[in-house]
Amino acid sequence: MKLLKIILRSTDKQCDLDPIPTSLLKQCVHALAPVITTIVNLSLETGNFSSIFKCAVVTPLLKKPSLDKESLSNYRPISNLSFLSKLTERVVKHRITDHLAANSMFNSFQSAYTKYHSTETTLLALQ
């Protein structure tokens, strides 16, 4: 899948680590796409996922509103990654998925993380 399509299909969510808002990046995508493509391709070619991409803003979130807010065990961490980090992950996911599909390497019973498959389709196949 082309990088441009991935960017345009992305949500406008952003992280405090992003230098510009995602909505603005999407509006200027035609000017920024060559630079972003170079960054992502260099990461994949060198096998180096930059330490900048590994940074996250971690926010504690209460598991249930009824739980005690004073107890730390009642919270779960939410990590927000930068847009470029998530974008690189999506590119890798698409490349791996395309490679596995093109070479018939998916298990015939694979349902998790497979488009148009769910627990319902697995149950129907087993039935």
Side-chain angles (χ1 to χ4, degrees), residues 37-58:
T37 301
T38 300
I39 292 169
V40 171
N41 284 339
L42 279 173
S43 178
L44 297 176
E45 288 171 12
T46 62
N48 182 14
F49 195 66
S50 174
S51 59
I52 295 170
F53 290 168
K54 296 176 187 177
C55 293
V57 175
V58 181

Side-chain angles (χ1 to χ4, degrees), residues 8-125:
L8 292 174
R9 289 183 181 172
S10 299
T11 63
D12 285 346
K13 291 181 183 178
Q14 62 190 54
C15 175
D16 291 339
L17 299 172
D18 291 330
I20 62 172
T22 305
S23 57
L24 179 60
L25 183 141
K26 288 168 74 173
Q27 289 173 11
C28 304
V29 73
H30 294 290
L32 297 173
V35 176
I36 295 171
T37 301
T38 300
I39 292 169
V40 171
N41 284 339
L42 279 173
S43 178
L44 297 176
E45 288 171 12
T46 62
N48 182 14
F49 195 66
S50 174
S51 59
I52 295 170
F53 290 168
K54 296 176 187 177
C55 293
V57 175
V58 181
T59 307
L61 182 67
L62 194 60
K63 293 177 184 176
K64 292 181 184 177
S66 60
L67 296 175
D68 179 20
K69 294 179 181 177
E70 300 299 320
S71 176
L72 293 178
S73 64
N74 291 334
Y75 288 86
R76 62 185 174 100
I78 302 296
S79 298
N80 292 333
L81 297 169
S82 69
F83 181 77
L84 278 177
S85 176
K86 292 186 278 188
L87 182 66
T88 305
E89 289 178 0
R90 287 185 192 118
V91 169
V92 169
K93 179 211 169 261
H94 283 286
R95 287 188 180 187
I96 289 173
T97 302
D98 291 347
H99 173 77
L100 293 175
N103 294 292
S104 302
M105 297 175 76
F106 278 118
N107 184 315
S108 59
F109 296 107
Q110 173 73 29
S111 285
Y113 314 109
T114 305
K115 197 172 188 176
Y116 308 117
H117 289 269
S118 65
T119 52
E120 184 179 349
T121 57
T122 301
L123 289 172
L124 289 172

